[in-house]
Each structure stands twice: as structure tokens, then as C-alpha cells.
Amino acid sequence: MKSKISRRRMLGGAAAAGAALPVLGGLLRDSDGDRAVAAGSHSGHGAGNGSAPAGHAGHEGFAHASFAAGRSVDHRANGFHPTELLRDFDYGKTRRLASGRLLREWEIVAQDKEIEVAPGVKYEAWTYNGRVPGPTLRAREGDKLRIRFVNGSEHPHTMHFHGIHTAQMDGMPGIGGGQIEPGAAFTYEFDAEPFGLHLYHCHVAPLAAHIARGLYGAFIVDPKKGRPEADEMVMVMNGFDTNFDLSNEVYAVNSIGFHYVNEPIRVRRDELVRIYLVNALEYDPLNSFHVHANFFQHFPTGTSMEPADFTDTVIQGQGQRGILEMKFPFDGDYMFHAHVSEFAELGWSGFFRVGEPPRFAAAATAAGYCELPWGGGGRA
Ligand SMILES: [Cu+2]
């Protein structure tokens, strides 16, 4: 989806109403006089447009209306589904070495692939194993890890892991295996340490561009003793610069804008929920996670078994991550979103659904924001 008007310029009010707008332009608030209005005006709030309810007119032609009409992205064409990806941990193929240590092996293939990040918004992604984020690689402290990386992309890439390892295995151009050319392969080998929540990503220049295209994933090293039993899930906060102007037009957790609004994450009341939260966002220095009506224990980088904080909002810089643990004491739909409001309105919003609350609570609640694309909701 290309546009000459950047999101930043729109937010700065440089774009005039009625100008050619990015498809998500309809999401922008007009309550602030400094901000551009996507099309028409919310003050109009007159006749309905057939798909959105009355009171939400003026958004025809925008992705907004698509959401309202109940459209979602084509998960099958994407080859991954954010609801499944959430609890999908890849432990690799394992075998016990003569030394008694466990060896975990993976094969990761870089592939260029178009993905749909919001209804009708396509993005020419570069992926690990055809998905964004790449597979969540998971090991236990002290395991021996072997990752065979095959570059099936048309561009050179690497796999740079966070963790402790030799320079040769660091996935840096010019060192060890260096950058892996299209059609070439390289095997990274190192030990799983330290325990905690890490990530891996491509480290070929221009770095921001290679990462922003989708070449990143979570890398979990469990402590030897493990962690308490919990409903575990991975949230990789990311964004997409769909017009390649070095700022993002779509924000999300696990790639698909508003996915967890359309399909709230189901959790059980009073059960421990553990979120592995990774910030893979480029072009914006800070991202954040906020949960409504609840608090969580926060373990920065997951490298200590003692929480550092009991809070409801955590801020992460680029590449930062943390483990969040919480229980939901009451049934209901509870929003979670970036507390960078601009990101929340461009896709980085979702809901936890605890128990069996009234059927369309998430969409109905969200519809309270007339600017948001699920205004027509009612399908969650
Ligand atoms: Cu790359």
C-alpha cells in the first residue's frame, strides 16, 4: 500500500482533508485541531454508510469500513494465524549427546513473502520460516543449540541472537559466517545462556530496514528449574512501514493490526498468565504495553526469578523485552494496548476475554471510539 502522504505528516497536520491517504488514514483522530482529518469530518456523524453504524459516516473507502464490515486479513494466505502463533513455542528437534547434554536443532529459512497486516493492507515482508514474527525458539538453560540458517531470500541476511556466545556465532556481517548470501546457508551453534527472554533478528545493513521487514523472533531460555505453571503466550510488538517512508503505518502485537480485538485472547479466571513481551519495533524509539483493570509482575529480560516491579504499564526501547505475570480475578473483556495512544489507534490494541462475558463486549467497548475501525464491530 503506497502513499505519498506519510503518517507523520498526517499527524502533524500537513495533509489536507481529502488528500490521497494511506489506507489506515481513517483511524486518525480529529478531536485534536492539530491533527489532520482523514476524510470528511467526525462532526458530520450523519448518515451511516451501510457497513458502519450511523454516527460513523465519512469513512467510506478506508480500511476502517472494512473492519466494520467484518473483514479480517487472509490468515491462510499469510501462512500464520496470530491466535495460534501466540502459544506456539518451537523447541526444535532434540537428542541427548554423549556428554548428557541436550542438543536442540532448528532449520530456519529466510523467505520473501507478501503478508496482509490489516484488511487490504499488503506488505512485502522478509520472513524467517514464512511468518512474522519468526518462530519462537525455546530452550532450557545449558542446552546446546544448533540453528541451520538457509537464505531463500533475494537479499543477504543473518540470524543475530541475543545471548552469550562467540563472535563467530554472532550473525554479524564480516565476522565468522558473515552475511549469508541468497542461496547460501550457515549453522549457528552456541549454548542457551543466560536464562531469560531474548530475541533474534537479522543484522545486515541497513539494519532498521532488514528488521522492519519482519526478520525477528522471540528466543526464550527457560531457567533450569523452570517457572511456575502458567498459560504462556508470546507477544512481539511490531509495526509496518507500508509505504517505506521510514515511519510505520500499522502497529500490532504479532503483526496483524487489531487482531486480538477481533479475536480476544481467551484466558481463565484466576489462572496465572505469563506473557513473553518483546519489542521488535523499528523507526519509533519506544513502545509500551498496558493492561486494563489489572496489574502484573514484571521481570525485565526475564533474567531474574524475582519481579522488579508490580505495575500495569511497561515501556520498552527497541530490542527490549520482559516477562509479565498476572491473574484476572473477574470475568469480562479487558483491553490491552500500547500506551502510546497513536500506536493503539493504528492497530496495537487487543482484548483478553476472561470466562464467558456477554458475547460482543470487546467490540462493543471498542466501538466507543468512533474513530476506530471496529466501530461496526459485533463479530468478536
Ligand atoms: Cu536481513
Side-chain angles (χ1 to χ4, degrees), residues 78-89:
N78 278 351
F80 63 92
H81 194 295
T83 299
E84 291 158 18
L85 188 147
L86 198 64
R87 295 180 174 95
D88 181 11
F89 300 97

Side-chain angles (χ1 to χ4, degrees), residues 126 128 149 151 153 155-158 201-207 209-211 213 215:
W126 298 344
Y128 289 124
F149 173 58
N151 190 358
S153 164
H155 312 269
H157 300 300
T158 68
H201 58 85
C202 177
H203 216 298
V204 170
L207 188 53
H210 277 249
I211 295 174
R213 286 283 190 144
L215 291 169

